[in-house]
Amino acid sequence: MKNVFPIFLLSAQVVLAQDIAQKLDAATKNLMNSSGAVSSNLSFYVSDENGNFLYEYQGNKGLSTASTQKIFTAAAALEVLGKNYTYKTTASYSGTVSNGNLNGNLFISSNGDPTLGSWRYEGYKPENFRQKLIEAVKKSGIKKISGDLVIDDSYFDHQTVPGGWPWDDLGNYYGAGVWGVNWRENQFDINMNGTEFKSFSYPLEGVKWLNDLKSGGSSDQSLIFTAPHSDVALINGTLPSKLVTVSGATPNPPLQLGVEAKQWLKESGIDFSGKVITNSQLEIEGGKPQEMPVNKIVLTYESPALEKIIYWFLRKSINLYGETLVKTLGKEKKGNPSFKSGVAYLKEFWKSKGINPVMINFADGSGLSPQNYVSAKAEVQALLYAKKQPWFEAYYDGFPTQDNGIKMKSGTMRDTKSYAGFHTSKDGKKYVFSIIINNFQGSGGAELQKILNVLK
């Protein structure tokens, strides 16, 4: 008799799993039989928290992921770099200081800190970096700079955006590129009144505008077109006839920081009449980049810890963070900061964790490229792996919580919708799931939600 209860409990669990699987199958088939799904593809996979299979619909099929791609990048970064990893920005000088006069150049360099000047972190905002920089320069005895301000943006290679990103995205805030020196998340905001420019969040250096905007509609349907190092930007589409804010990608963040830093120096009473130059611009003009002196460092400025960066990366789906992490992984693990190197390492990492490499055809670290192809099963495997790691709490905390209690990362691009995450049902059963749909004619959000409601 003593074995009856365990057998009964196991039988009840099997019946419950079968019932849920049947309901999921009915909801999935209802979606795929709808008029909007005539030419769509779906990859769907569900397991319990221990990895026991529950349900799948083409779980091995690789589809374009949108932002659920970020779950792979975030987990790999936490494991490889560590949750306490920080980026560093340094200031130093060349030449000598005599009677307060710097007979040389002032340098600012970074290893790609994506949070430098971000508004998201208390104590790490633009004014905080400004204060630390000016204090450090003054403490070193510098009252006048006879040379130039050199922004050393050479830590990464020159390619700032991954290949395969759509041209429609590059000039907009979510398409901001990755530089050796990033500033204000490489984003600027424009306050628009209808089609008229009213003000910028900060003076954008060296950019001229073409304005093809039209008035119409009730929401922002505008696009900004520009590219790295460009001095021209086009804005078109439609905007409502009221005050709205449009956000774009800064064409040259290192230069932008340099121009602002020059103004800080002047405002703080440090005499500086030289020019602002970046190492990339020196190369464009046929010169040689200037190496930052490492023996005359006046400031080392650290970013927030990686666990805090991962929180915002997942919570607000910041593409800049994902691509910076990819470049950082490439630099740290392969000695090559290119996107190609970082993406290759990311794939090697997950292959070593048991994921079939043909199900993780990565193109970037954020999911913005439509050339990412990943299966729902691979996403579930990645989440299950993360759940067993000591850094999981920092990872899990970044997943947005939905109204129905599901903790999940979502992804949206043109004709792509995806969800991946964790859910505890009303009876306490814990599930891990991923669902990706491509080419559904309509938003797909409401239809996919009907499927996820079964897990409740």
Side-chain angles (χ1 to χ4, degrees), residues 24 27-29 31-32 41-46 55-59 61 63-68 71 374-380 383 406 408-412 416-421 432-438 444-453 455:
L24 286 171
T28 300
K29 288 179 177 176
L31 167 66
M32 296 309 290
N41 273 317
L42 176 72
S43 184
F44 183 27
Y45 196 93
V46 185
Y55 178 77
E56 72 170 316
Y57 182 94
Q58 300 185 124
K61 182 178 283 291
L63 297 178
S64 183
T65 59
S67 281
T68 54
I71 68 174
V374 174
S375 73
K377 182 178 181 180
E379 292 199 332
V380 169
L383 294 174
I406 295 178
M408 69 180 185
K409 183 76 191 77
S410 63
T412 302
T416 293
K417 192 76 178 177
S418 60
Y419 300 131
V432 183
F433 65 91
S434 168
I435 181 167
I436 309 168
I437 193 166
N438 287 181
E447 292 78 3
L448 297 185
Q449 191 60 58
K450 292 175 183 177
I451 296 176
L452 295 182
N453 284 343
L455 297 179

Side-chain angles (χ1 to χ4, degrees), residues 307 310-317 392-401 407-409:
E307 62 181 340
I310 293 298
Y311 173 87
W312 287 111
F313 173 47
L314 294 174
R315 185 60 60 98
K316 290 298 183 181
S317 210
F392 176 69
E393 184 177 351
Y395 183 70
Y396 183 76
D397 193 36
F399 281 68
T401 302
K407 288 275 284 186
M408 69 180 185
K409 183 76 191 77

Side-chain angles (χ1 to χ4, degrees), residues 221-258:
Q221 297 296 319
S222 66
L223 285 174
I224 297 173
F225 295 86
T226 188
H229 298 287
S230 177
D231 59 359
V232 175
L234 163 69
I235 184 168
N236 65 16
T238 60
L239 285 175
S241 298
K242 61 181 181 180
L243 191 65
V244 297
T245 300
V246 177
S247 299
T250 308
N252 196 333
L255 177 63
Q256 186 66 43
L257 170 59

Side-chain angles (χ1 to χ4, degrees), residues 152-191:
D152 179 11
D153 55 350
S154 60
Y155 186 78
F156 293 143
D157 64 355
H158 292 119
Q159 185 179 349
T160 64
V161 294
W165 276 18
W167 172 236
D168 280 10
D169 293 336
L170 297 191
N172 301 283
Y173 73 96
Y174 53 85
V178 177
W179 302 68
V181 174
N182 301 298
W183 179 241
R184 298 180 184 264
E185 294 193 2
N186 303 345
Q187 174 182 326
F188 64 88
D189 300 326
I190 316 172
N191 293 316

